[in-house]
Structure formats: C-alpha cells, structure tokens
Amino acid sequence: MNYTKVNNMLGWLCAIMATVVFILTAERTTSWWDTGEFIASAYKLQIVHQPGAPLFLMLQNIFSNFALGNVSQVAFWMNVGSAVCSGLTVLFLFWTITALAKKITYSDNRPLDRNQLIKIMGAGVVGSLAYSFSDTFWYSAVESEVYAMSSLCTAAVFWAILKWEVRANKPQADRWLIVIAYIIGLSIGVHLLNLLVIPAIALIIYFKKTERTTFWGISKAMLIGLGVLALILWGVIQYLIKFAAKFDLFFVNTLGLGFGSGILVFVVLIIGTLIYGIHYSIKKGKAALNTAILATCFILLGYSSFTMVLIRANANPSLNNNDPENVFSFLGYLSREQYESEPLIKGPYFDANPTGVNERIDYRKDSHQYAAIKRSSSYQFDRETIFPRIYSQKPYHQYFYKGYLGIEEGRQANFADNLKFFFNYQIGHMYARYFLWNFVGRQNDQQGNGSLAEGNWLSGIQAIDNLYLGGQSKLSDEMIHNPSRNTYFFLPLLIGIMGALWHFKRNMKDAAVVGLLFVFTGLAIVIYLNQSPLQPRERDYAYAGSFYAFTIWIGLGVFAISEFLKKYINERNATLMATSLCLIAGPLILINQNWDDHNRSEKSLARDVAKNYLETCAPNAILFTYGDHDTFPLWYLQEVEGVRRDVRIVVISYLTSDRYFRQVKSGTYQAAGLPITIPNEKVAKGIRESLPFHDLNLAGSTDIKLLLDFLLSDSNENKLQMRDGQYENFLPTKHFKLAVNKVDVIQNHVVPKEWESEIANHLEWTFNNDYVTRADLGLMSVLVNNNWQRPIYFSTMVPSENLMGLDKYMVNEGFANRLMPIEAKLAEGESLINVDNLYKNIVEKYAWGNIHQATYIDTDTFRFAGMYAEEIFGKAARTLLAQGKTEKARQVAIKAFNQLPQRLYSMSDVTSYADVIDTLYKTGETKFANQLVDRNMKFLSEHMDYYQQLAIDKPDAGLEVRNIKTAIDSVDLYERILAGTREKERYTYVADLGRKYKKMYLGE
C-alpha cells in the first residue's frame, strides 16, 4: 500500500470534512467583538486597530468576491475564509502527526506493514479531528477573525520544519528553511502568535545537526531560538522601523531634505547590505551565513505586507485607525502606543504609590519637519518587584486582588501574593481552565471570574465534579440542558497524556520539541500577556497553539493504547480497537458535545443590533459610540451593506487621539463631518491632550464658547504655570452653560411637538471630570457650532463619565439617547424618554436576530437580550402604561414575548422581564404573563436550590451573594406584580418563596 497516497488522501479528507463542518456552522453575518471591524476593513482594504493585520485583510478581501456583488453575503464568505484556513490547519496537523508517528515506527531497513500504516493514519485522523472539533479552535474557525489564519501559519511552519528534517542531509534541503522564514514573515501580517514556534524549530535543527546531544547544546539551541524570536519580534518589527524613522528625522530636521528621504537611504542601505552579504557568503562558501541572510530577506519580504497599511493610510479611507501615514505614526501603530503595556521584568505592586513620571521624546510630522514632543511613558513607584503580576492600579482591579489573595486592610501586598496570583489565577484560571475546557469539558459559557457557577471546566463525572465545584446534585433543568455544558469525561485528556508518555518513551527528542511548542504557545504566553483580572471576555483563543500541540499527543495516543491492548489481543485487533476507541473518545465525543453551542448559523443579533442603533437615529445624525459592540457591527453595516450612511459614527473613546480628531471633521459617504472648528495645530499630538481643572471660583455658569476659547488660547495669560515652568491651558470652572435658540430647535424638529413649550433657554450643567481631554474639546466644539442643525445621539453604552455631565439632557429613544434642550425635573436615576419614538422603533424598525427561535444563544447575545428585555421593551411598556396608552403598551409587551429568548440565561434575566410581565397582566394578556412567571419562577427556584447546595458542599467558597440578592429582589418584585392580579395561586406560591428565602438568607 502506497504510504504517500494514503497519507495525502486521508489528510485532505480530514481537512475537507472539517471545512464542511465549519462552513455549515459558520456565522451567516458579522459577529461581536472585532469581526465587524475586520470584515468592513477587509472589504475595502482599510486600516484596523493596532498593530494591524494587512495580509489577513488582503486574503479575506479575496473571499469577499465570492459574494458576487451581494453585499449581504460578504460577511458569510469571509467567515468561510476562516473556515478554509482552519481546514488547511487540520491538513497540516494531520501530516505533522503522521510524520512524527512514522519516524518512530518505520525505518528504511524494513517495510511498512498494514498494521503500522493503520496506526499512523489512525493517529493522524484522531489527532487532527480532535483539534478540529475542540472548543477553542472551532470557535475561531467560524468567524472572520485573525486566529484561524494564524493557526494555519503555525501548522504550516511546524509541518515544514519536519519536511526539512527528513531532507536535512540532502542537497538544497535548506530551501525548506527559506520557506519557513517566508511563512513567518507573512504571519506577521496576520498575528504574532506564530512566532512562538521558533524555539521549537531551533531545537529540531539542533537535534538533526548534532550527533551527540548535551544539556549545554540543548540550552544553547533554545537560547538561539529565543534570540531569533526576539530579533524578529523587536528587531525586525519595531527597531527596523525605528531606525528608518531616526534616519528620516536626521535627513529632514538636520539636512533639510524632504520627508521620506532618510527612509529611502535607509532602505537602500538595508538592501545593499543584504545583497553584499549574499555575495560574500557565496564567494566564501559560507552556507550557513547564506541561508541566514536569505531567510532574513524572505522574512522581510513577508513582512512587506505592511506596506498596504502605509499605502491605504495615505489614501485616507473612512476606517483609518491611527492614520499611520508617516514613519513615526507607523512606528506608533506597530508598537501599539494607544494601549497600555503590561510590565514583564520589573513593575509596581497594585498598592504602590506613584512618586514620579518617566518621560520619553516622541515626534509628530508638521508641515516642514518633525517636531519633538515630551511625553510621559510610565510612572515611578515607591514599591516595585521583579516579575510583577499584581500591578494594575485600577480601583476595580485593586479590589479584586485584595479579595482573591485575602489581603486584609492595612497589609501591603508582597512577593508571595505576587506568585500566588501568577500560579492560581494567571496559570490556573486563565490557562489551565481553558486547557481543560478543550479536553475535559465545560460547565457553561458564562464568563468565569472565580465563581463556582460560571465558566469552569467540568468532566461529566458527578463525583469528581461535585468534589471540585459542588452543587451537582441540585442542577437545574437549564443547567443540565444548556447547550454550552459539554462533558468529555476526561477522555481526550487521558488519550493525550498516554500519547505524550508513549512519545517521550519512544522518541525523547521529538517529544521534547512538541513539549516545547506546547509550553511556548501556552505558559510562555501567560507570562508575556501578564493579564490583569476581570478581562472583558474570555481569552482562550490566545492559547490555541498550545491546544494544537496537545492534539498531536492525542493522535499518538492511538499507539499507546494499541501497545497496551497487544498484551491481551493480537496486533491487528489491537490496532483496529485502539483506533476505534480513540476516534470515539476523541473526535466523536467532541463533535457530539460541541456541535450545538458552536453552530452559529442561526445567529444574526450583532448585525440586527447594529441596524437598531442606526435606525434609532434621525436623518443626518451624529452618533457617538464607545466600545466594540456598539461600534464594529455598525462599521460593518455602513461600509459593507451600505445601511444608513447618512449617520456619522464617532467613537468617543478614540476622539482623544489627534489623528482621529482630524478624521471626524471630514465626511463619510452621505454623512457630513463633525462641526468642529478647532484648528488641527491646536490639538496636534502632544498639545492639549489633557488639561487640568483649576477652580477660579467664577460666579454662576460660564458660556461654553467662552470656555472653549479660553482652553484654546495660546496666550500665557490664559494658562497655568506648571512645576516645570511650562505654561498649560486649564479649565477654570466646572459650571457650563450653552444658550439655546428656540427657533432653531423648533425648525430642526429637535424635540417632539408636544415638548416645544419645555425648551430651555440655556443648557446648564456641571462638568463631571477633573481634566479636559481632546475628546471633550471636540464635543464642546460640536455643541457650540451645531446650532441644533444635526441630531446628536449617544449610544446607551457610552459611560456617564464620557458625557461631560450632560446626562439630564439625554432623551432615550431606544438604543441611543438624543441630546435635547428640555428642562425636566427627574428623580435620581431616571431619564427622559421619547416614548412615541421608542414605540415606533420597537414596532416598526427594530430586529432581534432570531433569538426567540435560536436553539443556542452565546454569552454576548444573551447578555444583550436580558438588557433589551428591561431597557428597551420594559421601559417602553412601563412608560406607555403610565401615559394611559394601554394598547401600545400591550403591543410592546406582546412583541417582547414573541421576540425575546424562550429560556433564561442568568438570574438577572428574571428581574429584566418584570415590566413586560406587569404590562401583560394589566393589558389582559394573562396567558402570556403566566407563561413568563411560571418559567421565570421555575428558573429562580431551581437555581436557588443549587446555590443552597453549593453552600453546603463548598462552605469555604462563600455564598453566591449577587445572585441570591437578585433572586430575593425578583421575588419581591413579582409578588407586587401578582398582588394586583387574579392569579391568587401564583401569588401565594411567589409569596411563600419570598418568605422562605428571606428566612434562609436574611433571618426574617
């Protein structure tokens, strides 16, 4: 039997099988997080967030053409692009496993028999398909994100080094090293995770080139690998550009030449040096030097995909993140200057006090030269440590550190706390938990922050799970039947461990290489990322390379089990049985358990919510957004599907950047730019980035136009002298005022007609921060110059601290709040509601992403669904009822019943439905109301039984305080609702629940 043909055929078969599964389960449109930005940017080759992914965007742009002009299909075809990349990853993984297995079981001195062939191919099938259907990899395989393509780069590089290893002693074998270098260079344009395979490559080369291995030799090879990794990560990616920037700085500022002249000279020098190096190595017969220089050339050739960023940035597309159009802005883009960097070698404790500021010199491009800017780069602290792990100064992080580490009041954090957090949280919670998700099982997909009820690993073996988590004897129906509850009974993990042990026993060198890959794509990333707690989402995707390495051992588990079975049955039966058992306990159990919660073909809420945001806005509006979920899907809709291009989307958190500040002054499509009249030079990089508040005790409120002129003044008379002798603008008062022209307000239909009598003569408010940012200056200029001509909206996700204190003038119209000059006396916590617009939006405009019929709703989607029940449907129904508009309130409540999910996902959902249920009762829809009450109370009581059992099984873990409090509040709320109905039996049941829980937890 021809090994090569079988190997190729089965490899492609596994790849095709995986790809088909991924396409069938792929999202049909955009998703949450970065996918909206990536799809929009790939479609028109625009600039994504730092540090960019140009190769990914260009390849995804190719897949977009399969939509054949149907813009609604573009996102799906880009998701297919990720599915294809993931399928090819499976192909290379299959070939990697079979190559490693063949090295052990086959030699040139004896033929390959049928049993060996079955075991080798069985290992390939088991390992590659186990990875295909693992939790983390499958999640990334069905959406247009960089991680699928990054996995492909890792798989291709590792496979290629094994191809080199087989041919290492043959002429021209080093061509494979050049191929590897080129793929590594290309991978920089996708994601940097692929670089972590370099130390494993160095070890393979060492083992192949050295007849007698030593500890020092292995250490030296690993150091060389780390050196190459560092050289690419910092030398090529950043310092090469930094040197180019310094060259240009010298040629422009010192020699007086034009911009780019220094870069041109630098590029010529680099190319000339490489050409000379190649010539010298050939002339002197230095093969290793020649290979190294050629590899460098191909890394740079692959890295050249980033020229797309420079070219497209200079074309000024509508999505132009950080505008990296010159060498210094490009350097900042690559070095992720807008993001905070985590300390790695030395840093503060979270409770350390700042004692000073470290400064650095940065540069911005002015009209004729580069201007130097003095900027603070980091703080100095009174207490620092090596290997800092508990470093974040953010208040909510400090609170978490203290609770997690048991640091009592008055005690300072120490190095023992530092290591405890590293091992227990960063390794245990943020890596080992993810690893076990993939190979043992998963409790649910709720984000875990240490609770026993959320996001833990789970095996499905009740005795073990109860020992670890508790409460397993009182699981609710929702928990048991939750699609994201996946139980593998330790089987994939055990097969992988057996495969690893067998590998180390039979070929220590190869096993060490796989182990090194496992560590560098797992624990090494933990150390490098140095994650603070309470991340905005689970981060398991960062460790997919580590799980990739482990599935190699899952494949080799076929050999381990076969050797064990050979003790009891003949070799042929042992081989077949081992392969069958591993297929069942690996890929089959994984696909069976994971299909329902990885099938995203029914999802469309991200797209529909984006449409809802845009449809909330009146024509030609300005919409201020804040985060990923209220921005990226909107970009997708405008850029790809062309929806509501009259709305100018402005990310208020980006407006602190001088580059974005310039961009928003320009229009996009049918939307005009922002009416900001501040000259660019007054808010250029390093100028007016953060202006302090210094109270001059001015009487009354000050007109915002006068304040803006004062803040933009270049006269030292209007500035505050700082400690270093420099003068800086400052905010002299927090009491703002904006005159309102009622005629303009009425003519532009800013307020509903029935509210026209309540239009204020002035907006008066108190600024809510101790400093003024560039974003605040921009918003102030918009207020001064807009004259109520364009509607101004703020996404409901914009935090209050970014509203400048204008909260009382925000009128809710659904997914966004509109700025209106209305005076209203409101109780604390209340907001104005334009209920007529809100009703119209709910009934006529809004879409809800199939969440009512969907068999599975992911964690981001159900988080929003609960919010919509309360903040959209509930708020509208309650307000309509209060205004006596009973029929409209009924329609809204019925719409909620028919559109919101049929099941609950968290305890807070019980409260979220209260206004909808109350409205259903008060409008005569008792049947629907009873269904919701029965469902919600069943969910609540079962979960409360579970929390009680948790307290019994795990008394040291503490109570589920937040959920228990929510449950008790919910019971009180439902009791009040039912008290006004004829549902006496339900009222009695709920009242009894309330008394039971209050007695149990509150002692009442």
Side-chain angles (χ1 to χ4, degrees), residues 333-391:
Y333 182 77
L334 291 174
S335 58
R336 295 167 57 91
E337 68 175 3
Q338 79 178 57
Y339 298 106
E340 295 181 17
S341 59
E342 293 76 18
L344 294 179
I345 300 174
K346 183 182 178 184
Y349 289 107
F350 70 87
D351 54 1
N353 298 309
T355 58
V357 176
N358 297 314
E359 293 185 336
R360 62 182 172 88
I361 300 297
D362 203 349
Y363 293 90
R364 69 166 182 267
K365 181 184 176 183
D366 284 348
S367 56
H368 300 295
Q369 64 176 12
Y370 293 109
I373 309 167
K374 186 182 291 186
R375 312 193 74 178
S376 60
S377 60
S378 61
Y379 287 103
Q380 300 166 356
F381 293 91
D382 58 354
R383 296 178 63 244
E384 293 189 330
T385 180
I386 58 170
F387 194 63
R389 299 286 114 179
I390 47 175
Y391 58 87

Side-chain angles (χ1 to χ4, degrees), residues 84-85 201 206 302 309 319 343 359 361 472 516 521 617 668 745 764 834 852 891 947 980:
V84 170
C85 288
I201 291 174
Y206 169 73
V309 173
L319 299 184
E359 293 185 336
I361 300 297
Q472 298 304 297
L516 192 64
T521 53
C617 300
T668 56
V745 173
E764 290 191 77
N834 183 353
H852 185 74
Q891 291 176 24
Y947 299 145

Side-chain angles (χ1 to χ4, degrees), residues 102-116:
K102 185 183 176 186
K103 282 177 63 179
I104 300 173
T105 59
Y106 170 74
S107 69
D108 293 333
N109 299 325
R110 53 190 174 85
L112 188 67
D113 63 41
R114 183 180 293 270
N115 287 331
Q116 289 174 323

